[in-house]
Amino acid sequence: MDLFNLPITMKDIREAQKALNGKVYQTGIARSNYLSEKCQGDIYVKFENMQRTGSFKMRGAFNKLSSLTAEEAQRGVVACSAGNHAQGVALSGSMLGINAKIVMPETAPKAKIDATKGYGAEVVLYGQNFNETMQKAQEIVKEEGRVFVHPYDDAKVIAGQGTIGLEILEDLWDVDNIVVPIGGGGLIAGIAVALKSFNPNINIFGVQADNVHGMAASLVADKVVTHRDNSTIADGCDVATPGELTFKITKSLVTEVVTVSEEDIKKSMIALVQRNKIISEGAGALSTAAILSGKIGPEYIEGKKTVVIISGGNIDLTKLASILNS
């Protein structure tokens, strides 16, 4: 483990925490009796589904936009996202007086599209997946001169997400394990730097879907590669290729990245609603799916303190009802 040659440091995360003070919620953390009994350990849930805009993404987006120079802010920003980063950038832009344009895939959930518009951003629907929306966003950068706000592979964005790690330490300083959903890797990268800087013995686990797991595949290949077999119910983590910065941090600090099936994710979402009264989108349920399915070994979980990150709760109610009825 090398904390001295990484793209961000604990200092960057502390600065992000100051920038976010009073702008985002310090979300709660609570022990889940159901998960603890099921897994024979002390399982705590971090409620980022209760964050402003319903997702952790607000943290990185606001930290990035608040760091722009006056000239950059005047040019406006553009971002690409299936929904959660879109909403974070839209609300941050509204709060800071920065014009925001968001490219979202045509397949994005209607609730996320409507919410992004509601926060004041202009929405451009383009493409069927993240890679296609990314290309469109880059075209807008060239045509309009806007600043591109990357959803995960940006030091300011990663540092903003890392503030979750600081909050966990405030509430549970003796935590043994953290389980984190992975899309492009910004969330796990920021949390890993925060926690490993405090205690190198904390285990950091990442979780991706079997259908889309670019980070897991990249770790096996020992370089950034792309992996996407099919779509996933965890649409917020439907990112086939991780970032260069996030891959470097994950490779250095993360204990293991596991993958779970679509059925595992659905069962996790149902368990969260029925037994914990938590509404989670598919991506937010990845961390719980990993422990309920046994993908993280009992030697780490049993008798230990583990925090699972519920990264977001933005899901169409009709989709949630369909999953619950299944």
Side-chain angles (χ1 to χ4, degrees):
M1 184 182 73
D2 185 1
L3 285 164
F4 300 102
N5 292 302
L6 295 177
I8 69 164
T9 66
M10 180 66 100
K11 179 182 177 183
D12 297 318
I13 298 173
R14 291 287 186 193
E15 290 176 353
Q17 188 177 47
K18 292 178 182 178
L20 296 177
N21 185 36
K23 308 298 183 183
V24 303
Y25 302 144
Q26 179 163 338
T27 55
I29 185 171
R31 185 180 186 273
S32 166
N33 291 332
Y34 170 73
L35 294 175
S36 297
E37 291 169 7
K38 194 79 172 175
C39 302
Q40 299 180 37
D42 287 318
I43 311 297
Y44 295 79
V45 178
K46 177 67 169 168
F47 301 108
E48 280 300 292
N49 59 317
M50 301 299 291
Q51 184 54 260
R52 296 188 72 169
T53 74
S55 160
F56 75 95
K57 288 285 191 176
M58 176 68 185
R59 296 174 183 265
F62 190 91
N63 192 48
K64 174 63 176 180
L65 266 64
S66 66
S67 73
L68 298 181
T69 65
E71 184 273 333
E72 289 173 327
Q74 182 64 34
R75 285 156 50 194
V77 299
V78 62
C80 57
S81 166
N84 288 336
H85 180 61
Q87 293 174 69
V89 172
L91 180 56
S92 297
S94 180
M95 293 169 67
L96 294 166
I98 298 173
N99 184 270
K101 180 177 285 189
I102 313 294
V103 185
M104 303 179 72
E106 296 169 5
T107 55
K110 185 178 184 298
K112 294 183 178 181
I113 296 171
D114 291 345
T116 303
K117 291 178 179 178
Y119 290 127
E122 177 186 350
V123 172
V124 177
L125 295 178
Y126 183 87
Q128 299 299 308
N129 54 53
F130 177 78
N131 289 340
E132 291 178 4
T133 61
M134 172 78 83
Q135 292 172 4
K136 183 64 175 179
Q138 296 294 355
E139 290 177 12
I140 292 173
V141 169
K142 294 178 181 178
E143 294 169 359
E144 302 181 17
R146 291 175 179 265
V147 175
F148 180 59
V149 183
H150 201 287
Y152 50 86
D153 210 32
D154 179 284
K156 292 293 185 181
V157 170
I158 295 170
Q161 322 304 22
T163 58
I164 295 172
L166 300 183
E167 291 179 12
I168 290 171
L169 292 174
E170 288 181 22
D171 291 331
L172 197 69
W173 67 270
D174 57 345
V175 62
D176 296 298
N177 312 296
I178 309 291
V179 188
V180 187
I182 297 181
L187 177 61
I188 197 168
I191 289 176
V193 172
L195 295 179
K196 288 289 192 175
S197 296
F198 173 76
N199 179 2
N201 294 319
I202 296 174
N203 294 303
I204 315 290
F205 293 96
V207 191
Q208 295 193 285
D210 286 343
N211 288 351
V212 187
H213 56 260
M215 182 66 81
S218 296
L219 292 172
V220 172
D222 200 29
K223 63 180 180 179
V224 174
V225 299
T226 297
H227 177 278
R228 189 178 194 276
D229 289 335
N230 206 333
S231 61
T232 173
I233 193 173
D235 57 271
C237 287
D238 192 345
V239 181
T241 309
E244 294 287 348
L245 301 182
T246 58
F247 172 72
K248 181 177 181 180
I249 296 172
T250 301
K251 178 183 175 182
S252 179
L253 303 183
V254 171
T255 306
E256 185 181 4
V257 176
V258 301
T259 65
V260 294
S261 70
E262 295 299 294
E263 190 63 25
D264 290 334
I265 300 169
K266 290 179 182 178
K267 288 180 178 178
S268 173
M269 295 172 71
I270 293 169
L272 287 170
V273 171
Q274 289 185 333
R275 305 306 298 267
N276 294 274
K277 315 311 175 194
I278 297 169
I279 294 179
S280 169
E281 60 188 273
L286 282 170
S287 50
T288 313
I291 61 171
L292 287 176
S293 64
K295 292 298 180 69
I296 298 175
E299 68 272 20
Y300 292 104
I301 302 297
E302 292 181 4
K304 303 292 180 62
K305 292 182 178 181
T306 300
V307 173
V308 294
I309 309 294
I310 308 299
S311 58
N314 293 318
I315 183 170
D316 286 322
L317 293 182
T318 52
K319 185 175 184 178
L320 178 61
S322 174
I323 292 169
L324 294 176
N325 289 331
S326 69

